[in-house]
Amino acid sequence: MAAFRRSVMSVALRCTSGVLSSSNITTRKRLSGLPTVIRKNWITLCTGGGLCAVPFSQQQAEGLSHEALIRRASSLVTDSVNTFLSQTTLALVDSLTQYVKAAHTLMALQKRYVSVISKLSPEEEEAIWQVIIRQREEVSDRRQECRRFESSWMNAINLSEMAAETAYNAGADQASVTARTNLQVAQAHVEQVRQLSLEAERKLAETKAEEMERNTQFASKTVDEDIPEAYLRED
């Protein structure tokens, strides 16, 4: 039985290949010459002059209208798009969360440095700066990762919107509702974490400004201490 099926498939593929290079009349003649079992189990789709054979079992295709098949296909599309949206949302939320954690770690290091800057030896200051520099690099890497995943997520959002609209037009109302619900949930999750990342960026900028101001004050104080008192007196 398995050998017979392989033989049938081979015949169908050879016939379909020949159909691609033939006119419409020749196509109809060759298709009519195929065994009945092949004609019933293969649906041929012609787009822009190209012909491709899409296998459907007899139980799947028999008795179903084109509209029903389109509804079924649109439902399958929304299922795939929902999976893509779910994965990209998970990746983006996770990357944003890791970015927020890295940003808060950097803020803690900068605040610690500002609070003890006047008490540090040159060696200690250099060691802390190396740690801060490495943390800044991690923050930058996390930010780039967020941008990459956000690009994929936006593609998933656009696909979900199109899939939901297509399913609705095809009459697959349940698939359309599910797609739109998943879309709203994904957007809500991402927006929640995105607000945390924006808040972290704002606080990071404030900490950076505080650090620069403190460094300026410390440098000015150091210069004043190095100038002999005789040069500071007014004659």
Side-chain angles (χ1 to χ4, degrees):
M1 187 64 180
F4 173 74
R5 289 179 179 175
R6 287 195 296 270
S7 176
V8 169
M9 294 291 287
S10 176
V11 171
L13 290 175
R14 288 198 299 270
C15 291
T16 302
S17 176
V19 168
L20 289 172
S21 59
S22 303
S23 64
N24 291 335
I25 296 177
T26 305
T27 297
R28 287 194 294 270
K29 289 182 179 179
R30 293 191 178 183
L31 288 177
S32 64
L34 289 175
T36 303
V37 65
I38 299 177
R39 292 203 307 273
K40 287 185 177 181
N41 287 276
W42 285 77
I43 296 178
T44 54
L45 304 176
C46 184
T47 305
L51 193 64
C52 64
V54 181
F56 282 89
S57 68
Q58 185 174 356
Q59 290 79 8
Q60 287 178 318
E62 189 173 311
L64 293 179
S65 65
H66 292 305
E67 289 78 7
L69 292 172
I70 291 174
R71 280 196 302 273
R72 178 179 296 182
S74 66
S75 296
L76 293 175
V77 169
T78 56
D79 287 343
S80 297
V81 171
N82 287 338
T83 300
F84 182 45
L85 178 62
S86 176
Q87 293 300 320
T88 53
T89 300
L90 178 63
L92 180 55
V93 168
D94 184 63
S95 63
L96 286 171
T97 301
Q98 295 302 318
Y99 170 72
V100 171
K101 289 181 179 179
H104 280 288
T105 300
L106 178 57
M107 282 186 282
L109 288 171
Q110 290 177 335
K111 289 180 178 180
R112 177 62 178 170
Y113 169 72
V114 170
S115 65
V116 300
I117 185 174
S118 60
K119 305 174 183 178
L120 296 175
S121 65
E123 293 78 12
E124 292 172 334
E125 184 177 1
E126 177 64 21
I128 292 180
W129 262 111
Q130 290 302 318
V131 175
I132 292 176
I133 290 172
R134 287 195 296 271
Q135 190 61 31
R136 284 177 177 172
E137 291 175 351
E138 181 177 353
V139 169
S140 178
D141 292 341
R142 294 295 185 184
R143 186 183 294 114
Q144 292 298 324
E145 184 180 60
C146 289
R147 290 172 180 171
R148 291 198 306 272
F149 285 131
E150 186 170 16
S151 176
S152 297
W153 183 74
M154 288 303 301
N155 289 334
I157 290 293
N158 293 332
L159 286 174
S160 295
E161 291 175 347
M162 289 189 293
E165 183 68 20
T166 300
Y168 176 79
N169 292 334
D173 295 340
Q174 185 59 46
S176 178
V177 170
T178 300
R180 293 191 184 280
T181 300
N182 291 339
L183 184 62
Q184 293 172 358
V185 171
Q187 289 174 324
H189 280 316
V190 169
E191 183 62 24
Q192 183 179 9
V193 183
R194 182 178 282 160
Q195 290 301 319
L196 295 177
S197 69
L198 293 175
E199 181 68 13
E201 288 183 349
R202 184 185 64 80
K203 291 182 178 179
L204 194 60
E206 292 176 354
T207 304
K208 178 63 176 178
E210 182 182 347
E211 176 191 335
M212 295 177 63
E213 181 180 358
R214 179 74 175 184
N215 286 338
T216 301
Q217 293 175 353
F218 180 73
S220 177
K221 181 180 178 181
T222 302
V223 170
D224 291 342
E225 290 176 351
D226 291 340
I227 298 176
E229 185 178 353
Y231 288 97
L232 297 176
R233 290 200 306 265
E234 294 183 1
D235 295 333

